Amino acid sequence: MEEIKKKRIFSGIQPTNVPHLGNYLGALQNWVKLQDEYDCAYSIVDLHSITVRQDPARLRRQTAESYALLIAMGIDPEKSIVFVQGHNPAHAQLSWILSCYTQFGELSRMTQFKDKSQKHPENINAGLFTYPVLMAADILLYQADCVPVGIDQKQHLELTRNIADRFNNLYGETFTVPEPYIVKSVAKIASLADPTKKMSKSDDNPNATIFVLDDRDTIMRKFKRAVTDSGCEVRRGEGKEGVENLMSIYAAVTERSFEDIEREFEGKGYGDFKTAVGEAVADSLAPMQERYKQIIADKSYLEKCMKEGAEKAYKASRKTLQKVSKKVGFIVL
Ligand code: ATP
Ligand code: LTN
């Protein structure tokens, strides 16, 4: 019987800090689930992370930690390609080529560029501007069909699709045009301190973000301080964004519906609800935290996985880079 070729998934995460609950529920949890059905390639995107100034020692440590965390979460380096972006030089090469097929005007419209330039007015570098082109190169190199991300990355994915279409129209079928894979209910987990903002790795308020390596006490304390509203009913509604955010988190980690949650907490106050959310989150993260401790302690295992991941990534992307190079008129040896 002829074997059906699995579709390809590609996604990436920046090693700018320990991943948070938003990263986990909005993206990483899906990375794990998609491994059986798809051929997956997952990358720690170190090249992207230097668009904002990083401390070198810290970046190196966080790259290894993020890599170990992916494995601890259940991403299997035997089954999927798990690699550090900078270990495969094809990303930077394709990014250069694609930057010559991307317009200044298109990049100027990217909201992440506008947000980050506002946040770091002292360092609006060219890499911050061309960031989405490198992301397009990441995805198109592997001919990805599908890209699991949070909603904040939708605009970058639209741009990737436009670049792929443009190139295909000019030179004939070269790239697969990728689809976003966004799980609506957790596509944007909000900050615990300000439910109008997304939960972020770089928030200055330490109570705004739950990091996936936070211990139980820290998790409980952060949830107890989470901003809600002056009411006391656990339900969705106008002005109840804080409670709704907690409900989304609770629904995601316990796999229950909003109606179910409303019923459970009828007549109980926010205090009880926050305690339940904190406990559910701490329980769901605990097994992964245990596995993480073992993996991060085993330096030679990590290095072996990174080396093999880099080789697999190079092999999986070489053909695309050659094809593109030929099409634009380079001599390929
Ligand atoms: P920062 O918060 O510092 O801007 P980030 O967490 O957005 O960083 P990445 O590490 O690149 O940046 O994100 C990894 C994945 O997590 C992406 O798919 C992104 O869409 C998703 N993600 C990020 N924040 C959230 C959030 N609050 N809710 C849901 N998904 C999120
Ligand atoms: N830009 C993304 C991280 C990222 C990515 C990718 C996601 C870099 N390359 C390729 C999906 C596919 C972010 O900031 N979350």
Side-chain angles (χ1 to χ4, degrees), residues 2-190:
E2 200 185 327
E3 205 179 316
I4 300 168
K5 199 167 175 276
K6 284 182 181 172
K7 287 195 169 186
R8 165 75 80 189
I9 291 263
F10 184 95
S11 199
I13 183 162
Q14 300 190 67
T16 41
N17 204 336
V18 173
H20 55 69
L21 203 56
N23 300 137
Y24 184 58
L25 300 177
L28 301 177
Q29 212 178 34
N30 281 318
W31 292 17
V32 178
K33 289 184 191 154
L34 292 164
Q35 287 183 107
D36 291 325
E37 210 181 314
Y38 294 86
D39 245 338
C40 300
Y42 297 128
S43 186
I44 309 291
V45 292
D46 54 347
L47 303 182
H48 276 107
S49 68
I50 61 163
T51 51
V52 172
R53 199 68 74 227
Q54 304 291 336
D55 173 66
R58 196 173 157 188
L59 180 60
R60 216 178 332 270
R61 196 186 68 231
Q62 282 171 183
T63 302
E65 287 173 354
S66 303
Y67 193 98
L69 255 171
L70 293 190
I71 299 178
M73 279 173 188
I75 291 169
D76 179 352
E78 300 286 328
K79 204 187 279 177
S80 303
I81 305 176
V82 192
F83 72 105
V84 177
Q85 182 190 35
H87 291 169
N88 180 4
H91 291 249
Q93 282 174 280
L94 183 62
S95 179
W96 171 256
I97 298 174
L98 295 183
S99 73
C100 301
Y101 296 83
T102 309
Q103 298 302 301
F104 182 88
E106 291 179 293
L107 292 175
S108 313
R109 287 194 289 275
M110 295 292 117
T111 50
Q112 183 173 299
F113 171 68
K114 292 188 221 166
D115 289 350
K116 293 212 170 167
S117 346
Q118 245 175 25
K119 229 170 159 181
H120 306 278
E122 73 301 338
N123 184 22
I124 306 178
N125 59 72
L128 193 64
F129 189 65
T130 57
Y131 177 114
V133 184
L134 178 58
M135 176 161 163
D138 296 342
I139 297 166
L140 300 179
L141 255 184
Y142 298 87
Q143 305 287 354
D145 298 282
C146 215
V147 183
V149 281
I151 200 98
D152 60 310
Q153 295 303 311
K154 197 167 174 229
Q155 196 186 28
H156 288 163
L157 219 74
E158 273 309 312
L159 178 70
T160 304
R161 289 167 57 85
N162 290 341
I163 296 173
D165 269 333
R166 187 171 304 148
F167 200 97
N168 288 347
N169 285 332
L170 278 169
Y171 298 103
E173 278 310 302
T174 311
F175 296 123
T176 304
V177 181
E179 299 283 341
Y181 182 101
I182 297 172
V183 179
K184 217 169 139 222
S185 58
V186 284
K188 187 178 169 187
I189 297 295

Side-chain angles (χ1 to χ4, degrees), residues 17-24 119 189-195 197-215 217-223 225-227 245-246 249 281 285:
N17 204 336
V18 173
H20 55 69
L21 203 56
N23 300 137
Y24 184 58
K119 229 170 159 181
I189 297 295
S191 148
L192 296 189
D194 177 355
K197 283 193 340 199
K198 76 161 191 159
M199 186 176 281
S200 159
K201 283 188 195 140
S202 45
D203 205 303
D204 296 330
N205 182 343
N207 293 316
T209 308
I210 304 277
F211 292 102
V212 299
L213 292 177
D214 281 349
D215 61 28
D217 287 351
T218 310
I219 292 173
M220 296 307 290
R221 180 166 41 79
K222 287 181 180 174
F223 274 113
R225 292 191 186 160
V227 169
N245 188 41
L246 296 182
I249 294 172
V281 168
L285 295 177

